[in-house]
Amino acid sequence: MADQSIPETRTPEETPGAHAGPGVHDATPRGGISRRRLLGTAGATGLVLGAAGGAVGYAAAPSSAATPLTSVGSGQAMFHGKHQPGITTAMQASGHLVAFDLKPGAGRKEAAALLRRWSDTARRLMAGEPTGTGDTDVARDAGPSSLTVTFGFGHSFFGRTGLDRQRPAALDPLPDFSSDRLDKARSNGDLWVQIGADDALVAFHALRAIQRDAGSAARIRWQMNGFNRSPGATAHPMTTRNLMGQIDGTRNPKPADTGFDQHIFVPEQGEPAWMANGSYAVVRRIRMLLDDWEQLSAKAQEDVIGRRKSDGAPLSGGTETTEMDLEKTDADGKLVVPINAHARITRPDQNGGATLLRRPFSYHDGFDPDGVPDAGLLFICWQADPLRGFVPVQRKLDRGDALSTFIRHEASGLFAVPGGAAQGEYVGQRLLEG
């Protein structure tokens, strides 16, 4: 839970509705009228249901009277591109993380066919179109809602497909950490899929389509559900809060920052070649011990984090974006930002420049039998090399982070996420057909 996460501000390219227009496709049935036009016309004229046959009066309204989607529903991310979607895309309100294992007997050929199916399904759904034959209609009334679907490969995938020589060194298993209480059944996996959308039904629709596409090639190993604040829920764009009530993510790197691509993405000429423009995702299910946390005073919570709970400003003063003064002391000569404060320990300048792009979801999976909430953070961080990104930061946290008393790492995964698919390609094609 480093002091880095994506604020809820969106660039023009990421703002819901920014791509609504020629790039947002209506799913048009054979009758020639799109589902969105149909719904819009129904809203404009009413449904005239006759007792004899239930005839619907659509023809009376001109096409220009169609009701447009809301700004949330019309937001569209692009499937094809240099990088896969869901990495620098603004955080969405609803998310699913799911890992698959290839079934016995499935190998490279079956994996290639699966990634081809998955890529086609993701492309259609991200454009607001149905999946094709057998679509469940769960998201029939919705637009793309900024849906993204992102695919990655786990360490075990390469052995199962005979591609051991193509496995990146950066995908070596993560070291053990003292805060780990990992459930192996909910960790790792051959394949990983990240789904995010600003509408929960759109996200579930994609999850169900991906699971159905797996068919005889792969079976689900584990699946987790998460959420964030919905777009427009605050009076103005602001950094989100986590389930501890803290503003979480002030110092996340931004694509416009110098060196962003160097820290987050594998270079064009990087190794292995099939990972060019890709990234590595560390996924951790971090349970927050909320009953213990909520017993602390607000001042004690602020000392654990190193920032004010009200507005996210550093304890050394200023606003949320003010640079933290690590040397400032109070009248008694004590450091204003405690030496073990989470925000101090996670800073890149305290970790040899290690930089992570955090893009998490909160989660709540009910309560234990004794009433303790099973809630926390689905931590996802992106970097060009986890041995230079996540690992040094987590080792530092392991040695003395004040927050470690109130959290527990319960599941973990590391996945190689290749670059985006070009037009006519599927994700991972350069690996599976190279």
Side-chain angles (χ1 to χ4, degrees), residues 134 213 230 351 354 410 432:
D213 277 351
S230 297
N351 293 279
E410 296 186 336
L432 291 163

Side-chain angles (χ1 to χ4, degrees), residues 1 173-184 186-188 282-287 289 379 390-391 393-395 397-399 403-414:
M1 292 173 56
L174 296 172
D176 294 331
F177 301 104
S178 63
S179 59
D180 287 354
R181 302 291 185 272
L182 304 182
D183 178 357
K184 292 183 178 179
R186 292 192 296 180
S187 299
N188 301 312
V282 173
V283 181
R284 310 276 282 185
R285 185 181 190 272
I286 303 177
R287 185 169 182 171
L289 308 181
F379 174 92
F390 173 78
V391 171
V393 175
Q394 188 58 35
R395 279 180 171 156
L397 292 170
D398 233 22
R399 291 195 294 266
L403 186 60
S404 62
T405 303
F406 303 97
I407 61 175
R408 186 166 62 223
H409 292 240
E410 296 186 336
S412 179
L414 172 61

Side-chain angles (χ1 to χ4, degrees), residues 193-259:
V193 185
Q194 173 193 252
I195 296 168
D198 282 335
D199 179 78
L201 283 178
V202 170
F204 176 82
H205 183 227
L207 174 67
R208 182 64 178 138
I210 290 297
Q211 187 265 330
R212 283 161 56 96
D213 277 351
S216 61
R219 61 186 172 209
I220 291 178
R221 178 182 177 88
W222 54 260
Q223 190 248 318
M224 302 173 189
N225 309 312
F227 58 91
N228 283 307
R229 177 181 284 145
S230 297
T234 55
H236 55 82
M238 61 183 296
T239 313
T240 192
R241 290 183 185 271
N242 60 35
L243 299 189
M244 287 178 161
Q246 300 290 147
I247 289 181
D248 184 357
T250 301
R251 290 180 53 85
N252 216 28
K254 299 175 177 60
D257 293 347
T258 302

Side-chain angles (χ1 to χ4, degrees), residues 369-433:
D370 56 0
V372 176
D374 183 3
L377 198 70
L378 300 181
F379 174 92
I380 308 164
C381 73
W382 300 89
Q383 59 261 285
D385 183 351
L387 296 178
R388 292 183 296 167
F390 173 78
V391 171
V393 175
Q394 188 58 35
R395 279 180 171 156
K396 188 80 171 289
L397 292 170
D398 233 22
R399 291 195 294 266
D401 176 26
L403 186 60
S404 62
T405 303
F406 303 97
I407 61 175
R408 186 166 62 223
H409 292 240
E410 296 186 336
S412 179
L414 172 61
F415 302 95
V417 176
Q423 292 283 345
E425 283 188 346
Y426 63 86
V427 174
Q429 183 169 334
R430 281 163 279 181
L431 167 64
L432 291 163
E433 298 186 16

Side-chain angles (χ1 to χ4, degrees), residues 2-367:
D3 186 37
Q4 305 172 4
S5 183
I6 292 187
E8 289 188 18
T9 54
R10 299 182 182 229
T11 65
E13 291 78 19
E14 295 168 336
T15 302
H19 294 290
V24 180
H25 306 293
D26 287 344
T28 306
R30 284 190 293 272
I33 184 167
S34 74
R35 68 185 184 196
R36 292 184 193 160
R37 183 174 167 188
L38 181 69
L39 291 165
T41 306
T45 65
L47 298 180
V48 183
L49 300 178
V56 182
Y58 298 126
S63 60
S64 60
T67 302
L69 291 164
T70 69
S71 59
V72 172
S74 61
Q76 182 178 343
M78 298 295 105
F79 175 74
H80 295 293
K82 183 177 181 180
H83 310 297
Q84 285 197 60
I87 301 176
T88 59
T89 310
M91 289 200 304
Q92 298 119 313
S94 180
H96 301 290
L97 309 180
V98 55
F100 292 81
D101 286 335
L102 294 174
K103 290 184 177 180
R108 181 174 176 178
K109 178 181 177 181
E110 291 76 16
L114 174 58
L115 266 297
R116 189 180 294 110
R117 291 195 300 274
W118 274 352
S119 295
D120 184 62
T121 293
R123 177 186 59 78
R124 289 172 178 268
L125 293 178
M126 287 175 57
E129 301 172 359
T131 58
T133 304
D135 189 275
T136 62
D137 283 344
V138 171
R140 182 180 180 88
D141 311 312
S145 298
S146 301
L147 173 69
T148 59
V149 187
T150 316
F151 303 103
F153 304 112
H155 185 276
S156 56
F157 176 82
F158 297 84
R160 295 178 183 269
T161 54
L163 292 166
D164 299 82
R165 296 180 65 181
Q166 292 297 320
R167 182 168 52 219
L171 204 57
D172 286 350
L174 296 172
D176 294 331
F177 301 104
S178 63
S179 59
D180 287 354
R181 302 291 185 272
L182 304 182
D183 178 357
K184 292 183 178 179
R186 292 192 296 180
S187 299
N188 301 312
D190 294 344
L191 294 155
W192 176 67
V193 185
Q194 173 193 252
I195 296 168
D198 282 335
D199 179 78
L201 283 178
V202 170
F204 176 82
H205 183 227
L207 174 67
R208 182 64 178 138
I210 290 297
Q211 187 265 330
R212 283 161 56 96
D213 277 351
S216 61
R219 61 186 172 209
I220 291 178
R221 178 182 177 88
W222 54 260
Q223 190 248 318
M224 302 173 189
N225 309 312
F227 58 91
N228 283 307
R229 177 181 284 145
S230 297
T234 55
H236 55 82
M238 61 183 296
T239 313
T240 192
R241 290 183 185 271
N242 60 35
L243 299 189
M244 287 178 161
Q246 300 290 147
I247 289 181
D248 184 357
T250 301
R251 290 180 53 85
N252 216 28
K254 299 175 177 60
D257 293 347
T258 302
F260 178 87
D261 282 2
Q262 175 187 351
H263 288 297
I264 307 306
F265 294 110
V266 176
E268 292 270 4
Q269 306 304 320
E271 292 293 337
W274 65 267
M275 272 296 289
N277 301 313
S279 188
Y280 292 90
V282 173
V283 181
R284 310 276 282 185
R285 185 181 190 272
I286 303 177
R287 185 169 182 171
M288 295 176 173
L289 308 181
L290 294 179
D291 283 353
D292 295 337
W293 175 256
E294 291 163 4
Q295 290 179 9
L296 297 180
S297 67
K299 174 63 168 63
Q301 290 178 354
E302 290 178 342
D303 284 344
V304 167
I305 301 300
R307 290 182 175 274
R308 290 201 300 255
K309 193 170 184 178
S310 60
D311 59 5
L315 297 184
S316 53
T319 66
E320 182 186 351
T321 57
T322 300
E323 186 69 19
M324 183 175 289
D325 184 351
L326 300 180
E327 305 303 322
K328 186 174 181 179
T329 57
D330 61 17
D332 297 324
K334 294 182 179 180
L335 289 169
V336 174
V337 180
I339 197 68
N340 61 349
H342 184 73
R344 174 192 286 270
I345 292 175
T346 58
R347 290 169 57 95
D349 58 9
Q350 302 294 302
N351 293 279
T355 302
L356 314 172
L357 175 64
R358 291 178 69 252
R359 199 174 180 278
F361 292 95
S362 293
Y363 78 87
H364 178 222
D365 290 339
F367 298 85

